[in-house]
Amino acid sequence: MDPSLQQELSTANPSIPFRASAFHHHHTWARTFHSHPELYIQPQSSEEISKVITLARRFRRRITTAGCAHSPSDITCTSSWLVNLDHFEKVLNVDVEKKTVVMQSGIRLHDLGRQLKEYGLAMPNLGSIDHQSIAGAIGTATHGSSTRHGLLSQSVIELSIIIADGSTISCSAEKNPDLFRAALVSLGALGIITEVKFKAVSAFKIEWHQSLHSLGEILTDWEKDLWTQTEFTRVWWMPYMKKCIRWRADKTNKALHPPVENWWNGAIGYHVYHGLLYIAHWFPRLLPWIENFVIGVQYGFVNGSGGTAVEESQKGLLMNCLYSQFVNEWAIPLHRGPEAITRLSAWLHGDQEGSRIPFSPKGIYIHAPIEVRVSDTSTNSPRPYLDSTIPDGPTLYLNATLYRPYGHDPPCRERYYQAFEWLMKEMGGRPHWAKNFTTVTKNDISAMYPDIDEWRRIRDEIDSDGMFVGDWHRRLLLPDTEESSMLPFEEKKIIAKPAKYGGLEWSGQIPKNVRSPQASEESFEMM
């Protein structure tokens, strides 16, 4: 630890710990990015978080907050101070009658689900995984797949945030509503969310059915009841087979029964599939065959084959993400889904003219499946300023996943994502904030989000020195500026070079190690 920081700590209140360590290796869940923060800090109380922020202000350090780092982008990379809230994860209050729960922001969703179950409660919806912290899921616009639900943040009643001056602000739809709309999708740039008040629902079970169908059948049912017949629906599209797995679920009072065991879903299938993907890294033409083989073994080769189960919601709504991966998900109007899928299908089958996508598909072979999900936030209020969903109707999400077998980036990635993102932009789409979009510019984001200036205004008001601003934020969200006009604490990326363990090694530039000019005048009472 820096000697001047150690000296400063010696004068601070020893009853409030500063739980920091050096030499931490931070990486995303998918190991797509790596960084080595100057300090890795794991506070256990709001007082400790305030102390971290006060010290960061004195020593001109940027703060990044990360949970499980499931986002495969570089949004959580830093060479400055990285705050992890895994030990700030208590449920503080549960009102069973009102179905409200107040929790510390670092709690992981799987722990929250387990504790809610003890009170006969549950979250109303979940995304594909439950590894994220509640703050991370809210701050990146996480969603599930249902036209009867929107973002997870629609169930947030109130937030508490410690901002750059060390003070705590509470916000809700009634109290500090502008800050609330900014914080519902904060992207880590406003401060550290410390408490979340959330509206739960009565615990429930779901009965789900999944079955194999032709792509043509799915597109025919699109405007009928594909997305509305049951409460929860998602589709996995196999582009080379031109088939889909349709997964549907409704709430039920039936007795629990697990899905039928399939040897492929165990260790053997996991490693065989991983090995096949690795071989296809060197011989991409094998990927259509691999898709057909894997889906046939796992789900059946005949249309209509599949499986069913009755499970508790906190288990049944999840899926296995398998391996390290790039994920590039976009939100487009639901009614434009058939056109988007038809054109992307044409491109993947070599018909560039029919696809009307200005990138050559020659030699491109991709991984399956392409994930297809839905939500509807059109009646939600207040709406987050950076809500990526469609404001006036249901939203369709298309997720172009590419696996990284044994840490190897797929050779198709650059051109496939160029073509995919070009099509998504033409469909009026917006990228998911936590994913690997590659061709999106600051101008694109400004055009996509008419309220972005309000979000910027609020961010600047509560963090004028840029304590929570990194290269990712400047690259995509904040106005261009000369290097000499960067915010005082803002961190700039120096380099992202190939890492020896796969992915990219990210290094940033932090301000010179000098104390803030006002440091001698600041009070350490909070510390």
Side-chain angles (χ1 to χ4, degrees):
M1 189 180 296
D2 185 90
S4 59
L5 176 58
Q6 288 182 319
Q7 181 180 1
E8 194 76 37
L9 285 171
S10 69
T11 68
N13 183 352
S15 67
I16 303 176
F18 184 71
R19 307 175 197 271
S21 60
F23 311 110
H24 177 76
H25 173 200
H26 171 69
H27 60 78
T28 61
W29 172 84
R31 296 183 181 271
T32 46
F33 286 94
H34 306 255
S35 65
H36 295 271
E38 180 184 28
L39 289 179
Y40 180 67
I41 309 167
Q42 292 189 296
Q44 297 181 15
S45 68
S46 295
E47 292 77 15
E48 291 181 36
I49 294 173
S50 291
K51 182 172 184 173
V52 170
I53 290 176
T54 299
L55 285 169
R57 187 169 69 252
R58 284 175 171 247
F59 287 88
R60 301 171 64 84
R61 289 296 188 266
R62 177 208 173 191
I63 291 177
T64 303
T65 308
C68 69
H70 204 269
S71 169
S73 77
D74 61 339
I75 189 171
T76 60
C77 288
T78 183
S79 294
S80 186
W81 292 6
L82 181 64
V83 172
N84 172 269
L85 299 179
D86 281 352
H87 301 302
F88 186 71
E89 30 65 85
K90 296 177 181 177
V91 171
L92 302 175
N93 178 266
V94 178
D95 187 323
V96 176
E97 184 177 346
K98 294 182 178 179
K99 297 185 176 65
T100 59
V101 54
V102 179
M103 70 207 83
Q104 292 177 328
S105 60
I107 191 169
R108 300 292 182 94
L109 297 185
H110 54 79
D111 288 330
L112 175 60
R114 175 179 52 80
Q115 295 189 54
L116 287 177
K117 180 182 175 181
E118 296 174 2
Y119 294 93
L121 300 175
M123 297 183 68
N125 194 14
L126 283 169
S128 298
I129 63 167
D130 60 358
H131 305 306
Q132 317 102 307
S133 67
I134 185 69
I138 293 168
T140 54
T142 296
H143 61 89
S145 190
S146 171
T147 54
R148 303 179 202 177
H149 299 273
L151 304 179
L152 265 62
S153 62
Q154 78 176 47
S155 298
V156 173
I157 300 170
E158 186 173 350
L159 295 171
S160 294
I161 309 170
I162 300 182
I163 61 174
D165 66 3
S167 64
T168 300
I169 303 179
S170 295
C171 58
S172 66
E174 294 77 30
K175 179 169 56 178
N176 298 315
D178 288 351
L179 176 60
F180 188 60
R181 292 184 66 189
L184 285 175
V185 181
S186 69
L187 302 171
L190 304 183
I192 297 180
I193 294 175
T194 54
E195 290 185 11
V196 179
K197 186 175 182 180
F198 194 87
K199 180 70 172 178
V201 298
S202 297
F204 62 97
K205 295 175 290 185
I206 59 168
E207 180 179 21
W208 59 257
H209 301 267
Q210 61 184 17
S211 49
L212 185 67
H213 301 267
S214 70
L215 177 60
E217 181 182 348
I218 293 296
L219 296 180
T220 297
D221 290 345
W222 196 279
E223 298 296 342
K224 297 178 183 177
D225 61 357
L226 174 64
W227 301 110
T228 58
Q229 187 178 80
T230 57
E231 183 169 354
F232 304 98
T233 307
R234 59 187 175 217
V235 169
W236 293 284
W237 167 31
M238 272 56 71
Y240 296 116
M241 298 172 65
K242 294 188 177 181
K243 292 188 177 183
C244 298
I245 300 295
R246 186 190 67 200
W247 183 96
R248 282 176 165 169
D250 260 330
K251 294 172 181 171
T252 183
N253 291 319
K254 292 181 180 179
L256 295 173
H257 74 79
V260 175
E261 290 293 332
N262 182 326
W263 65 271
W264 183 262
N265 292 328
I268 293 175
Y270 178 91
H271 292 293
V272 169
Y273 188 22
H274 207 182
L276 290 172
L277 290 171
Y278 178 74
I279 294 170
H281 176 78
W282 308 104
F283 303 99
R285 289 179 180 271
L286 290 173
L287 283 170
W289 176 85
I290 291 172
E291 176 186 299
N292 187 72
F293 170 75
V294 169
I295 297 304
V297 171
Q298 188 170 8
Y299 297 101
F301 292 92
V302 180
N303 285 353
S305 58
T308 184
V310 175
E311 297 180 302
E312 294 175 334
S313 62
Q314 64 265 30
K315 180 179 180 180
L317 290 172
L318 305 178
M319 60 170 285
N320 188 346
C321 290
L322 295 176
Y323 321 111
S324 169
Q325 58 194 246
F326 292 110
V327 280
N328 194 346
E329 182 179 76
W330 285 64
I332 65 174
L334 179 62
H335 68 86
R336 303 207 69 175
E339 178 188 353
I341 290 172
T342 300
R343 290 173 62 183
L344 184 58
S345 179
W347 190 84
L348 291 170
H349 284 271
D351 182 7
Q352 184 180 357
E353 182 178 355
S355 72
R356 307 194 304 280
I357 297 174
F359 296 92
S360 171
K362 186 176 181 180
I364 294 296
Y365 295 92
I366 69 164
H367 298 157
I370 296 173
E371 189 178 29
V372 188
R373 295 188 289 168
V374 292
S375 74
D376 192 346
T377 64
S378 59
T379 60
N380 291 358
S381 180
R383 186 176 178 84
Y385 290 126
L386 297 185
D387 189 335
S388 56
T389 60
I390 306 306
D392 54 359
T395 295
L396 175 74
Y397 303 93
L398 287 178
N399 185 7
T401 299
L402 290 173
Y403 293 116
R404 303 179 62 248
Y406 301 107
H408 288 74
D409 294 348
C412 66
R413 179 190 172 210
E414 182 176 358
R415 188 150 31 107
Y416 175 39
Y417 277 1
Q418 284 178 334
F420 177 72
E421 293 184 16
W422 186 93
L423 178 60
M424 293 299 98
K425 290 176 187 176
E426 188 168 83
M427 295 290 105
R430 296 170 171 176
H432 190 301
W433 290 114
K435 309 300 186 185
N436 290 109
F437 48 94
T438 59
T439 66
V440 177
T441 66
K442 189 178 308 186
N443 289 337
D444 290 331
I445 294 293
S446 294
M448 293 171 183
Y449 291 90
D451 291 331
I452 194 170
D453 285 338
E454 281 300 295
W455 185 88
R456 290 168 176 163
R457 175 186 64 79
I458 293 160
R459 206 223 67 78
D460 290 345
E461 286 177 358
I462 61 176
D463 181 25
S464 58
D465 288 332
M467 181 181 290
F468 299 98
V469 171
D471 188 83
W472 188 95
H473 303 103
R474 177 64 65 188
R475 188 168 74 237
L476 293 168
L477 298 172
L478 303 183
D480 290 321
T481 183
E482 297 292 332
E483 185 169 346
S484 59
S485 301
M486 289 175 58
L487 299 174
F489 298 175
E490 180 179 342
E491 183 176 12
K492 179 183 178 182
K493 181 179 74 175
I494 299 174
I495 191 171
K497 61 183 180 181
K500 61 182 179 181
Y501 14 71
L504 294 176
E505 185 81 38
W506 192 101
S507 295
Q509 182 181 38
I510 55 180
K512 293 181 180 179
N513 191 18
V514 294
R515 287 175 51 161
S516 173
Q518 72 270 30
S520 61
E521 301 172 10
E522 290 181 326
S523 170
F524 253 78
E525 290 179 359
M526 70 174 63
M527 297 175 54

